[in-house]
Amino acid sequence: LAVPYYQVFHLKVLGLEGKAIATLTVGYYIIKIAALPLLGKWVARLGSRLAIYLASPFYVLFFFCYALSGPDRAWMVFLGWALIGVAEGCYSVAYTTALYGSIPESPARQAYFATYNLVLLLLGAGGAAAAAWLVEQLKQQLGGAAWTLGPLHLGQYQILYLLCGLILMPCIFGTQL
């Protein structure tokens, strides 16, 4: 749901310049790449399932960083991307290891991987369409205003990110290891 609106949020809500957005993106990849060797050893020690389970709450924190950010708290987004860089590195190693370990050696093995990637792409497209609808609904409900909770102002995008974090919580914590 959230991916199509990162850059819109950076530009419209936070007022970030292109250089700051580029720094954010490059920083994320540097953190992810730098963490991969350590995370590979960590995943090998813990196992893929436990590593994914332990990294998953960082996705909730990531979305909450967006929900709590604003023009005067843009640093929250930078913190979120630093956290998610480590979590994504862990997830990348763990899910690849789990996927390769769970698919039996057979002529159809490549079809499993192709299907997996196709499902991810379809879910991403469906999420983008759902997000567009949800953001428009939030805009209409809020009438251009924002919910105010103390110093926080939650506009349509912050509410979208808050909902993403809240939706993830039962998905993560409701699973069994």
Side-chain angles (χ1 to χ4, degrees):
L1 288 175
V3 173
Y5 288 99
Y6 292 145
Q7 303 313 337
V8 174
F9 184 80
H10 296 154
L11 293 166
K12 284 188 173 182
V13 177
L14 299 180
L16 295 179
E17 297 291 329
K19 187 175 181 178
I21 295 169
T23 301
L24 181 69
T25 305
V26 170
Y28 158 78
Y29 283 112
I30 289 172
I31 289 169
K32 184 175 177 179
I33 291 167
L36 281 173
L38 296 172
L39 292 169
K41 293 174 186 173
W42 190 64
V43 169
R45 195 169 353 132
L46 291 178
S48 295
R49 287 179 69 113
L50 183 56
I52 289 171
Y53 190 74
L54 293 173
S56 294
F58 286 93
Y59 287 88
V60 174
L61 292 173
F62 171 75
F63 287 121
F64 286 175
C65 283
Y66 265 85
L68 296 173
S69 68
D72 57 335
R73 290 179 310 284
W75 62 269
M76 292 290 295
V77 169
F78 286 84
L79 173 64
W81 280 100
L83 291 172
I84 207 64
V86 175
E88 289 264 313
C90 179
Y91 184 77
S92 296
V93 172
Y95 92 80
T96 305
T97 304
L99 190 60
Y100 275 90
S102 63
I103 309 274
E105 291 282 344
S106 73
R109 188 172 201 212
Q110 291 170 335
Y112 285 107
F113 297 126
T115 302
Y116 171 79
N117 285 318
L118 181 61
V119 168
L120 283 181
L121 290 171
L122 291 172
L123 289 173
W133 177 84
L134 180 59
V135 166
E136 187 58 36
Q137 295 304 309
L138 288 169
K139 182 179 178 182
Q140 289 176 12
Q141 294 299 317
L142 293 171
W147 290 344
T148 302
L149 301 167
L152 301 177
H153 300 284
L154 301 175
Q156 66 196 42
Y157 299 110
Q158 284 100 335
I159 294 170
L160 171 69
Y161 295 122
L162 180 63
L163 289 172
C164 288
L166 292 173
I167 289 168
L168 276 177
M169 290 174 81
C171 297
I172 295 167
F173 302 115
T175 62
Q176 297 177 359
L177 287 176

